[in-house]
Amino acid sequence: SSAHAAAAKEAGNAHFKAGEWSAALRKYDEALSHAPQDEALHSNRSATLAALGRVAEALESGKRALALSPRWGKAYSRCGYAALRAADAEAAYWFYANGLRHEPSNAELARGREGAMAALWAAESARNSARRAACARDADRPPARIFACSDVHYDHPGAREWVASLSRTAYRDDALVVA
């Protein structure tokens, strides 16, 4: 019943404030057994799981809260925090930034987004290393040229020979747009 859920939630909140994460989790789970559609309970469960270091489960609980209340900034924040703790700065940024779309003045979401951005810049992942290498490579490239044309008829006399005569290396930084 809702009275059982409210009592278990209140007990969970008290355990959470006291730093008794395991006891809080048990109470939130008990409350959810009576009120499985309560987004605040899923959000509280997410925070508790994150405090326990169980970040994958924290993210899942946060996503459940988000599914139940897709415009609620706290749910985005819970997901962002769990993603950041799981070292997925890109996902964390996505959650925080999208939460700010719904609650633009939410300071918690703004701080989280800034933290996610800092983590993105500092990340030593294969993906981030590849991005930095591509940026460095592109910085040293000469400016590219873009050509546009229409009505290219490959079946016209001489067209195949002309294409075959083009250099395979001289135009690598150029682009051709055919309409």
Side-chain angles (χ1 to χ4, degrees):
S1 76
S2 62
H4 284 67
K9 179 182 178 181
E10 195 61 38
N13 290 347
H15 287 299
F16 186 89
K17 287 177 187 167
E20 300 164 349
W21 316 123
S22 294
L25 182 60
R26 281 191 300 276
K27 287 299 180 180
Y28 291 139
D29 285 342
E30 179 184 332
L32 280 165
S33 71
H34 296 288
Q37 300 301 310
D38 186 327
E39 68 274 4
L41 285 171
H42 287 284
S43 174
N44 291 356
R45 185 174 189 275
S46 175
T48 305
L49 287 164
L52 287 166
R54 294 163 56 182
V55 293
E57 293 171 89
L59 183 56
E60 287 307 309
S61 286
K63 286 179 179 179
R64 182 70 181 135
L66 192 55
L68 291 167
S69 188
R71 300 180 63 80
W72 187 34
K74 178 67 81 175
Y76 282 98
S77 183
R78 295 291 194 220
C79 291
Y81 182 73
L84 205 50
R85 291 276 314 268
D88 189 350
E90 287 183 12
Y93 179 82
W94 185 93
F95 284 115
Y96 286 125
N98 279 287
L100 283 167
R101 287 178 48 220
H102 299 292
E103 294 183 18
S105 60
N106 186 312
E108 184 179 343
L109 288 169
R111 281 191 306 274
R113 183 185 61 184
E114 295 303 314
M117 286 174 51
L120 280 170
W121 281 107
E124 288 302 327
S125 67
R127 181 186 297 162
N128 211 22
S129 294
R131 278 191 195 127
R132 282 195 289 256
C135 288
R137 186 176 56 249
D138 290 344
D140 293 333
R141 282 186 154 168
R145 297 177 299 171
I146 299 174
F147 299 94
C149 65
S150 65
D151 297 327
V152 174
H153 298 280
Y154 194 69
D155 59 344
H156 277 106
R160 284 190 174 96
E161 293 78 15
W162 174 76
V163 169
S165 73
L166 293 175
S167 169
R168 300 224 182 262
T169 58
Y171 307 106
R172 285 188 183 222
D173 293 322
D174 296 339
L176 172 64
V177 178
V178 181

